[in-house]
Each structure stands twice: as structure tokens, then as C-alpha cells.
Amino acid sequence: MSAQKKYDRLGEQVFSKVDKVNAELFTLTYGSIVMQLIKDYEDVNEVNVQLEKMGYNIGLRLIEEFLARSHVGRCADFVETAEVIAKVGMKMFLNITGTVTDWDSEKKEFSLILEENPLVEFVELPEQYNKLWYSNILCGVLRGALEMVQMKVETKFVRCVLRGDDSSEIRVILKEILADEMPPGDD
Amino acid sequence: MRIVCVAVVGKSNNPLYIKSFETQDTMKFHYIVHSSLDVVDERTKKTSQGTAEMYLGLLCPTEDYKVYGYITNTKIKLIVVMLDDMEVKDADVKSLFKSFHELYTNSVCNPFYTADEPIRSRKFDKDMEALVNPIIK
């Protein structure tokens, strides 16, 4: 589909223009955040919640950067939103492209599949942390960013490479469209 | 090169990882690695004027084995024990140690691994096997 190709290209373009950071530094920093949270909270479920909260705060701010850099206009529908996230958003910030699949019948839920994930480079999850969703910060980022563009979503991990699956999968569910502000001049 | 055993030893000469590629006598390899640590200590003391050389070379030929050593700047020692059946080029051993060191570095980058702990990483184990097995055959 040409729309997909257009977002692929846009993603590459935007990625080439943004500042980069060393990948190992990024991975090690995130790793130590997760370790510290585990030490502080001790309960893995609580760590999942905290990672999501952190991500949410990041997402609220990240969306501005994203919109400013990518110049992506308003998405026509949730389907387009999903494509933009997977091809432009993920590319710009993580240099990965996600695949959007498993739409439900009403087009209100989809799965975002990540073949690779820079956050989990070198990471091996020990048995006792089996319930940890290591990259849960990404769920929060999606939720925060989408809330700023008037979409209330629920995000959660369903599969993760650290648990033995071959790719990671985030389920995104549209809960409601928040009160739309009318574009100016639309009386 | 017939590698029979590889080992990673920590700063205080505590064993972090030891893997033998031969079915018999794993205790013997423990012993060989342990005794080679003395030679490592000797060699590193001698050159304490600050050399950057991590590869220590042939440490001690024992019975039918050759033991090679490699020490990192963080005082982690990598030991490789191999059968003394054929001529081994120094360059080959050096490149083996380089890959060995890289694999070790990758396992250390795991945030769930604390320094000086025994290495329990399954990936490290698998990678070591993949590194050594083609050479053995």
C-alpha cells in the first residue's frame, strides 16, 4: 500500500535528521533504571506499574517533539495512527519499525509487533523475574503520547523476547476519543 | 586446536565460569586452571610497569595439555586449556581470546548480572559452545 511506503520513507527521513545517542549507553542506562526499580520496589508487578508510569510521563512530552520533527498531519483514523506509530514514531526514537497486525472487527484494537528492541540488547531475564515486562516503559510512552492527541488507550505487553517468544508484541486498545477541540474557523 | 576447557576467573581468583568440552575428568581441569592462576599472577607482577598487553600466551605446558591465559584490565582472567597434539599458531589463540573476551563483555552488559558473580547466562554458554566447537572439529 502506498500509504505504508510513504510512512516508511518519512520514518527514514526523520531518523536521518535527528540527533543520535550511543546505543550501548542507552541500553545500559535503561537496564540500570530497571534494576534500581526492582531493588526499590521488590515486587515485580509494582515495577511494571512504575515503568508504565515513567513511560507515560515521557510520552506526554515526546509527542511534541514527534509532531514538530515529523510534520505528520492529522491522522484520518485509528488505522492510520497505528501505521504512523509503527513506521515513523518507532523509527525516529528507536530506529526500529514495528508491524501493525491483528485488528479487531471495529478497528479499535491492534497489535504492534517489534522484531527487535534496543532496550533488551544483552539482557537475560532470570527465573525469579519472570513476571516482569522489561520494556514496559514503551507501553507508557504510547499511552501518554496518544493521550495528548485526544486518544485514550490502554496498552499492554502480550509477548516479549525475554520470555522466550520470537518477537515482542504490544496490544493497543482505543478506549475513547477525548473531547475534540474544533479546528478554528469551523463554526 | 583441541580445546578441552575454558574458564573465567574473577579478581580474587574465584572461578566465575568453567566449561569442559571433554566428558572425563572435569575435576582435573579445575585443578589445572587453578594452578595456572599462579603463573598468571607471576606474569602480571613482572610487568607491573604498566603494559597494555592482555594476552599472556602459553602459561605452562602440563602433561598433555597447554594452558593459555589472558587478563583484562579489570583483572578478570580468561583461561583456555587445549590438548598438546599439534602446533598452534599464536595468532589463532589471540583471536580466540578476543572473541572470548567479547562474549564475556556481552554477558556483563546484562543488567541482571552483578560483577564477580558466577556466570549463569545461558546465552554465554551457548555462544561459548558455538565459538569452541567449530575449532575443535
Side-chain angles (χ1 to χ4, degrees), chain A residues 35, chain B residues 16 104 107-120:
Chain A
M35 282 313 291
Chain B
L16 299 179
Y104 171 71
S107 80
V108 166
C109 283
N110 181 9
F112 293 103
Y113 174 78
T114 26
D116 237 24
E117 230 185 39
I119 300 176
R120 281 185 250 273

Side-chain angles (χ1 to χ4, degrees), chain B:
Chain B
M1 288 196 279
R2 289 274 303 275
I3 300 173
V4 291
C5 174
V6 290
V8 179
V9 182
K11 283 184 269 212
S12 1
N13 286 349
N14 45 328
L16 299 179
Y17 179 81
I18 183 156
K19 188 178 181 71
S20 54
F21 294 93
E22 205 140 292
T23 42
Q24 28 94 317
D25 265 347
T26 38
M27 264 336 242
K28 187 161 69 162
F29 297 129
H30 281 246
Y31 173 70
I32 293 179
V33 170
H34 201 265
S35 29
S36 64
L37 292 177
D38 290 328
V39 185
V40 173
D41 279 339
E42 257 182 53
R43 298 266 179 103
T44 41
K45 272 205 203 88
K46 268 198 221 153
T47 53
S48 58
Q49 269 99 28
T51 36
E53 191 58 61
M54 295 191 270
Y55 176 65
L56 298 168
L58 184 62
L59 298 176
C60 52
T62 35
E63 324 167 4
D64 14 46
Y65 298 115
K66 285 201 270 213
V67 185
Y68 288 87
Y70 181 100
I71 185 165
T72 68
N73 288 9
T74 47
K75 300 266 181 288
I76 303 288
K77 298 134 193 130
L78 309 178
I79 309 282
V80 170
V81 182
M82 57 179 95
L83 277 183
D84 200 2
D85 53 359
M86 46 176 139
E87 274 307 302
V88 189
K89 278 186 274 187
D90 224 29
D92 286 340
V93 185
K94 270 198 193 171
S95 78
L96 171 72
F97 270 120
K98 187 157 175 287
S99 315
F100 191 175
H101 190 182
E102 262 176 49
L103 290 181
Y104 171 71
T105 313
N106 289 347
S107 80
V108 166
C109 283
N110 181 9
F112 293 103
Y113 174 78
T114 26
D116 237 24
E117 230 185 39
I119 300 176
R120 281 185 250 273
S121 158
R122 268 164 281 136
K123 183 164 188 299
F124 181 71
D125 212 22
K126 261 195 279 178
D127 288 341
M128 283 308 296
E129 276 181 28
L131 177 65
V132 173
N133 281 329
I135 304 181
I136 291 183
K137 306 225 171 82

Side-chain angles (χ1 to χ4, degrees), chain A residues 13-30:
Chain A
Q13 264 178 8
V14 179
F15 180 68
S16 64
K17 284 191 270 173
V18 294
D19 286 338
K20 317 279 187 305
V21 74
N22 176 291
E24 272 189 28
L25 178 63
F26 180 61
T27 304
L28 291 174
T29 304
Y30 184 68

Side-chain angles (χ1 to χ4, degrees), chain A residues 43-90:
Chain A
D43 172 28
V44 160
N45 294 316
E46 190 53 39
V47 174
N48 285 337
V49 169
Q50 291 302 319
L51 282 175
E52 209 270 349
K53 271 197 204 161
M54 284 173 64
Y56 176 73
N57 286 313
I58 295 177
L60 295 178
R61 295 158 175 79
L62 205 74
I63 186 71
E64 301 294 342
E65 169 94 14
F66 174 71
L67 293 172
R69 297 264 183 191
S70 64
H71 303 294
V72 168
R74 266 206 186 186
C75 291
D77 54 16
F78 197 50
V79 177
E80 212 183 319
T81 307
E83 281 303 315
V84 170
I85 295 173
K87 303 284 185 283
V88 189
M90 292 273 158

Side-chain angles (χ1 to χ4, degrees), chain A residues 1 4 26 35 46-47 75 83 90 112 114 121 144 152 165 172 177 185:
Chain A
M1 283 178 66
Q4 275 185 348
F26 180 61
M35 282 313 291
E46 190 53 39
V47 174
C75 291
E83 281 303 315
M90 292 273 158
L112 184 62
L114 304 171
E121 205 78 47
K152 190 153 177 197
D165 302 311
V172 182
I177 304 258

